[in-house]
Amino acid sequence: MHQRPAILTGFHFTRLALATLSERYDIAGHMDRPEPRLVPANAQPHVQALVTTGSVGVSDGLMAAIPRLSLICCYGTGYERIDIEAARRRNIMVTHGADANAPDVAEMAVGILLASTRRIARADKMIRRGDWTKRIPNRFGPIAGLTGGKVGILGLGAIGMEFIKRIKGFDVQIGYCNRTRRSDVDFPYFPNVMALATWADYLIVALRSDASNRHIINAEVLKALGPRGHLVNISRGWAVDEAALADALRNNVIEGAALDVFDEEPYEGTELQPLDNLVMTPHFGGGTEHAQRRMTSLVRQNLDAHFSGKPVVSPLPELRDMAEMTVGRLR
């Protein structure tokens, strides 16, 4: 008989995160992949909460395989691979990390933007190969630098606002595209991504993750960004059509790009790897100690509230109407 609520993990969390969760909950098992057949048989009858990430996801079938499941906690902001309608139908609450890692992801966006525009990764590799044998101007082609450039932000939520705080120091022009115009900023607003890409030199993708944004960055948008343009994606991989991006980088449709996120993770494709005008990092924009502490704390707060019969702290926006209706959810 389990006296403490049992939870299942669907992601490789840090020791500190697991220790924090273990203070009040039994970690009944772990799944390397979100497949119903991988739910540990000895844990299946007891598990009431699943702690995972939105990029890993939870299907209707997985929910069905855990009969007492009443809570899914997404560690981090994204929840794009969670079957929200299935969760609603099954009266399973889903939470996410909301804005917990926004400052850290924004910091990463600045870093990989600079790495792309200033050719930092390419220059590092050149020296390590022993190819720096003479001083040659414009070795990597003309470099504009950020100063005076036009930075377009696609999705002006918490991460976008944190990015603005950091990028303003580079004396750039800032514009944005959002679902709705914000009343608390005075930057130029663009009604759609094509208009923003046409205006911008540097396009930063900071969208909320949902299915409506899949491949919002396509061949037409990249062409509009232009041959001196750079693309940065720190939101979710499926926002960018990777085949179209590879083609644009190979054929100088845009000058460069930087990705911290990919359509499938870990990235095992072949199209992007040979491109020396692309900077790639393994989805660790929110991987700082500060962000991990904040995200772990938020998961713990959501678990504590849920199992105390209270509304969770950070429900998905699509499920906020369910948050107050806690009666009968625990099984």
Side-chain angles (χ1 to χ4, degrees), residues 10-83:
F11 184 74
H12 291 284
F13 296 104
T14 65
R15 291 181 181 179
L16 177 60
L18 294 174
T20 300
L21 299 180
S22 297
E23 289 171 357
R24 190 168 174 180
Y25 304 97
D26 287 336
I27 299 179
H30 171 77
M31 295 184 300
D32 283 328
R33 296 185 305 281
E35 299 176 14
R37 64 182 181 82
L38 297 180
V39 178
N42 60 339
Q44 191 174 27
H46 310 294
V47 169
Q48 293 174 278
L50 173 60
V51 183
T52 185
T53 69
S55 58
V56 170
V58 183
S59 66
D60 184 30
L62 181 55
M63 296 179 206
I66 310 174
R68 294 186 65 192
L69 185 67
S70 58
L71 177 68
I72 298 168
C73 290
C74 293
Y75 185 85
T77 304
Y79 51 90
E80 69 277 13
R81 286 191 168 93
I82 306 295
D83 189 333

Side-chain angles (χ1 to χ4, degrees), residues 46-280:
H46 310 294
V47 169
Q48 293 174 278
L50 173 60
V51 183
T52 185
T53 69
S55 58
V56 170
V58 183
S59 66
D60 184 30
L62 181 55
M63 296 179 206
I66 310 174
R68 294 186 65 192
L69 185 67
S70 58
L71 177 68
I72 298 168
C73 290
C74 293
Y75 185 85
T77 304
Y79 51 90
E80 69 277 13
R81 286 191 168 93
I82 306 295
D83 189 333
I84 299 173
E85 290 308 313
R88 178 182 288 279
R89 188 175 66 251
R90 296 178 179 278
N91 195 23
I92 297 171
M93 178 49 61
V94 187
T95 69
H96 70 140
D99 304 335
N101 65 4
D104 310 85
V105 176
E107 178 182 286
M108 186 69 177
V110 174
I112 61 175
L113 173 63
L114 284 169
S116 181
T117 59
R118 297 304 302 268
R119 322 306 200 259
I120 291 172
R122 295 168 70 182
D124 176 85
K125 292 175 183 176
M126 181 198 73
I127 293 176
R128 294 177 189 277
R129 290 195 305 264
D131 292 344
W132 192 24
T133 58
K134 61 180 68 174
R135 297 180 66 90
I136 301 174
N138 296 329
R139 183 186 294 268
F140 301 112
I143 295 175
L146 293 185
T147 302
K150 298 175 181 176
V151 177
I153 304 170
L154 180 58
L156 197 54
I159 292 172
M161 293 298 288
E162 291 289 341
F163 177 77
I164 284 175
K165 290 181 186 178
R166 289 154 177 78
I167 203 67
K168 285 171 72 175
F170 289 89
D171 294 328
V172 295
Q173 300 178 58
I174 296 171
Y176 75 101
C177 174
N178 210 39
R179 290 181 187 271
T180 56
R181 186 193 296 264
R182 293 187 61 139
S183 61
D184 56 345
V185 299
D186 58 2
F187 306 112
Y189 172 75
F190 295 85
N192 55 64
V193 65
M194 281 294 291
L196 181 67
T198 301
W199 172 83
D201 300 312
Y202 311 115
L203 182 59
I204 315 300
V205 184
L207 291 165
R208 193 180 87 181
S209 59
D210 66 44
S212 69
N213 295 325
R214 184 170 183 83
H215 291 182
I216 192 170
I217 304 299
N218 54 29
E220 291 74 22
V221 171
L222 294 169
K223 184 177 180 181
L225 185 58
R228 297 303 304 277
H230 287 252
L231 174 76
V232 170
N233 188 13
I234 42 80
S235 61
R236 277 298 182 265
W238 69 5
V240 174
D241 182 337
E242 290 175 358
L245 176 62
D247 184 71
L249 289 168
R250 278 194 300 267
N251 294 294
N252 302 312
V253 174
I254 64 172
E255 191 169 78
L259 305 177
D260 185 48
V261 289
F262 300 85
D263 205 348
E264 295 293 337
E265 297 179 355
Y267 178 74
E268 297 178 348
T270 58
E271 282 193 307
L272 298 177
Q273 288 182 348
L275 301 170
D276 64 0
N277 53 348
L278 173 66
V279 175
M280 296 188 289

Side-chain angles (χ1 to χ4, degrees), residues 242-320:
E242 290 175 358
L245 176 62
D247 184 71
L249 289 168
R250 278 194 300 267
N251 294 294
N252 302 312
V253 174
I254 64 172
E255 191 169 78
L259 305 177
D260 185 48
V261 289
F262 300 85
D263 205 348
E264 295 293 337
E265 297 179 355
Y267 178 74
E268 297 178 348
T270 58
E271 282 193 307
L272 298 177
Q273 288 182 348
L275 301 170
D276 64 0
N277 53 348
L278 173 66
V279 175
M280 296 188 289
T281 52
H283 198 161
F284 70 159
T288 68
E289 292 177 337
H290 295 97
Q292 289 174 356
R293 282 196 293 267
R294 290 192 297 269
M295 291 188 291
T296 299
S297 174
L298 192 51
V299 168
R300 174 64 186 271
Q301 290 175 56
N302 280 308
L303 287 165
D304 290 352
H306 178 75
F307 287 108
S308 298
K310 301 175 182 177
V312 294
V313 177
S314 56
L316 301 192
E318 294 88 341
L319 299 180
R320 283 177 185 151

